Amino acid sequence: MLDVRRLRLLRELKIRGTLAEVAEALQYSPSSVSQQLALLEKEVGVELLRKTGRRVQLTPQAEVLVAHTAQLLETMEQAEADLAASLTTVTGTVRIAVFQSAALALMPDTLSRMATVYPEVRIEMTQREPETALHETWARDFDLVIAEQYPGHAAPRYPELDRIRLTTDAIRLAVPPEAAGQQPITSLEDTAELAWVMEPRGAASRHWAEQACRSAGFEPDVRFETADLQAQIRLIESGNAVALMPDLVWTGRGTSAQLLQLPGDPHRTIFTSVRRSSAQRPAILAARETLAITAESVANAEDGG
């Protein structure tokens, strides 16, 4: 009988590309990973890995095993979910990956509600960019991801992951407070000569913001790059930059910045994803339900409800 742990190492190598990355992800030493894969080759009696320079490449026979391993892991995860569902108490750990504005706006109240209603569930939270987090949830580094999708910019799809809409928020032009003697800013076109702050290249928000500016007839002068939205807010409020910001970043705080509606009233969609094989695990269902309650509460507060 094949060793499931060794099969998983082979699948991890397919996902991550190098023995060092597999070792780091699973907290093994690279030599231990190599030894276990060598033992797996002996078990199956065929070559699984070929060296190509400093990397290793999976053989066609290894690819066959990886495909079956994925199915096996899904079946085992479904069995664990069914076992947990048979218990009367909701327990376990839920590892959540979340981007910054959702972490600030949604997670504090969610964690408080979970601690009150589901005290035996342990929530572990890590900040990640959504596209990276989706891949890492598929790879089993996380159990649940809170991700975002900007208009016309589709987030990556993984067949093994489901997707449930959590909430939406408007994207607005955030500009500094009006100052005496300065020309008021009333539209996106008015910012063509101003300094911009955006997230680093590769972020969905950066791509969307650049396209919005180009559609308005200019190339934005991006003088400041930071993934820290609190730093972006400080630059805007201090009069040093303008930005396109989703409403969720203002949750629970006032601002001296002016927030201007954009043509077409664009909205960002925020959603959760989990592996389908674990979607019915009670702890994950509880976390999703609690996130939905928090998101609705935030939306009602913004609407004045």
Side-chain angles (χ1 to χ4, degrees):
M1 184 177 294
L2 299 178
D3 189 300
V4 174
R5 290 172 298 178
R6 292 171 188 156
L7 287 170
R8 186 187 176 194
L9 289 176
L10 186 66
R11 180 178 181 270
E12 291 290 331
L13 183 57
K14 168 70 174 179
I15 292 171
R16 303 181 193 279
T18 67
L19 294 173
E21 290 183 31
V22 172
E24 181 180 0
L26 300 183
Q27 298 182 335
Y28 290 169
S29 68
S31 61
S32 177
V33 173
S34 181
Q35 290 170 2
Q36 291 300 312
L37 290 175
L39 288 172
L40 181 61
E41 279 192 324
K42 289 184 180 179
E43 285 180 349
V44 298
V46 297
E47 183 184 38
L48 298 177
L49 304 175
R50 292 174 184 158
K51 288 188 176 180
T52 57
R54 295 185 178 181
R55 300 173 68 90
V56 291
Q57 183 178 14
L58 272 65
T59 64
Q61 291 72 35
E63 297 283 2
V64 170
L65 281 180
V66 166
H68 283 285
T69 300
Q71 295 176 2
L72 179 60
L73 291 175
E74 288 180 11
T75 299
M76 292 176 64
E77 193 165 45
Q78 181 65 61
E80 292 173 349
D82 290 347
L83 181 62
S86 71
L87 303 175
T88 57
T89 304
V90 180
T91 63
T93 297
V94 181
R95 302 164 299 166
I96 300 178
V98 58
F99 60 98
Q100 188 185 29
S101 60
L104 292 170
L106 301 178
M107 289 308 298
D109 284 353
T110 295
L111 292 172
S112 296
R113 287 187 170 99
M114 287 293 296
T116 299
V117 182
Y118 303 102
E120 295 189 43
V121 175
R122 173 186 171 91
I123 300 292
E124 298 178 357
M125 182 185 76
T126 303
Q127 185 177 317
R128 283 285 194 277
E129 287 302 308
E131 296 196 0
T132 301
L134 285 163
H135 180 270
E136 291 176 334
T137 302
W138 168 74
R140 288 180 160 74
D141 292 341
F142 298 102
D143 301 305
L144 185 153
V145 55
I146 305 173
E148 63 182 354
Q149 182 163 303
Y150 276 75
H153 189 281
R157 290 273 187 179
Y158 296 89
E160 294 88 346
L161 299 184
D162 69 5
R163 183 174 293 195
I164 295 179
R165 176 187 170 280
L166 189 59
T167 189
T168 64
D169 59 344
I171 307 167
R172 304 181 199 274
L173 174 61
V175 302
E178 285 191 15
Q182 289 187 352
Q183 188 71 21
I185 300 171
T186 60
S187 68
L188 189 57
E189 288 79 3
D190 291 340
T191 67
E193 303 300 325
L194 300 179
W196 280 75
V197 59
M198 293 186 184
E199 293 194 50
R201 292 190 182 279
S205 61
R206 171 67 174 264
H207 178 265
W208 189 86
E210 287 179 333
Q211 293 301 310
C213 292
R214 290 165 187 164
S215 296
F218 67 94
E219 188 68 24
D221 178 9
V222 184
R223 297 186 202 176
F224 313 110
E225 285 191 1
T226 176
D228 187 339
L229 297 180
Q230 298 303 305
Q232 290 192 25
I233 290 171
R234 292 293 296 272
L235 287 170
I236 297 165
E237 292 178 336
S238 62
N240 289 291
V242 299
L244 295 175
M245 305 287 281
D247 278 355
L248 209 60
V249 303
W250 312 110
T251 299
R253 73 185 305 278
T255 181
S256 59
Q258 302 177 74
L259 304 178
L260 307 179
Q261 188 169 346
L262 295 169
D265 190 24
H267 278 62
R268 173 183 66 165
T269 299
I270 299 166
F271 62 91
T272 63
S273 282
V274 304
R275 291 180 298 282
R276 297 180 192 279
S277 53
S278 66
Q280 297 305 309
R281 183 153 66 91
I284 289 177
L285 289 171
R288 275 184 145 171
E289 176 188 5
T290 306
L291 276 166
I293 292 170
T294 301
E296 184 178 6
S297 176
V298 169
N300 288 339
E302 290 176 352
D303 293 339

